Amino acid sequence: MSAAFQHISAVLVDYFDALYFCDVEKLQRVFHPKAIYATADESPLLHRTMQEYVPVVAARQSPASRGEPRRDHIDAIDLAGENTAVARVRCSIGTRDFVDILTLVRTEGGWRIIAKIFQIIERET
């Protein structure tokens, strides 16, 4: 595995941990400050900046505190070049499964998520 894949994989593991534990400090480390968060599954289209998204996660009861099983997986990482990559990942929160398309950029020597576009899949309880 190349160094880029190892570094991106580590960012994605931190991303999953941030969501599972609602760890906003870790969330802010994995996302670029100018990142966008969006889904077309909400009406109207849901689009948030990091300043809008971080408080949502901070106010959420974490899946960890509810004893939810971890359901996160990296489906693919595609390097577009030395400084750009796309990852397709899956995770679950409550009764929802998510397919996240994450665009990552390498700036100042580190990989960070610059865009999160996601699909919501309601899971039957």
Side-chain angles (χ1 to χ4, degrees):
M1 180 182 295
S2 75
F5 277 98
Q6 290 175 346
H7 290 139
I8 292 167
S9 295
V11 168
L12 297 176
V13 168
D14 284 347
Y15 167 75
F16 292 140
D17 287 347
L19 293 178
Y20 187 71
F21 295 103
C22 292
D23 183 337
V24 294
E25 289 179 21
K26 192 171 276 191
L27 192 73
Q28 290 174 308
R29 283 196 306 268
V30 298
F31 276 95
H32 189 281
K34 294 185 179 183
I36 64 161
Y37 166 98
T39 185
D41 284 348
E42 302 285 336
S43 184
L45 172 84
L46 176 63
H47 174 272
R48 290 185 172 135
T49 64
M50 284 302 98
Q51 292 80 12
E52 296 165 325
Y53 177 50
V54 170
V56 170
V57 174
R60 186 185 289 163
Q61 183 183 10
S62 74
S65 70
R66 294 190 302 258
E68 291 181 19
R70 291 283 296 254
R71 292 185 183 102
D72 43 55
H73 186 266
I74 300 170
D75 289 336
I77 298 171
D78 183 26
L79 289 170
E82 292 182 15
N83 299 311
T84 307
V86 176
R88 183 181 189 273
V89 303
R90 289 177 282 137
C91 65
S92 298
I93 298 173
T95 60
R96 291 178 152 187
D97 295 329
F98 297 88
V99 177
D100 299 342
I101 308 302
L102 307 173
T103 303
L104 296 98
V105 293
R106 187 173 68 160
T107 60
E108 301 167 5
W111 288 94
R112 295 177 89 182
I113 301 165
I114 192 73
K116 171 182 175 169
I117 313 300
F118 61 99
Q119 175 75 43
I120 301 168
I121 303 165
E122 295 290 343
R123 190 172 355 100
E124 292 184 27
T125 57

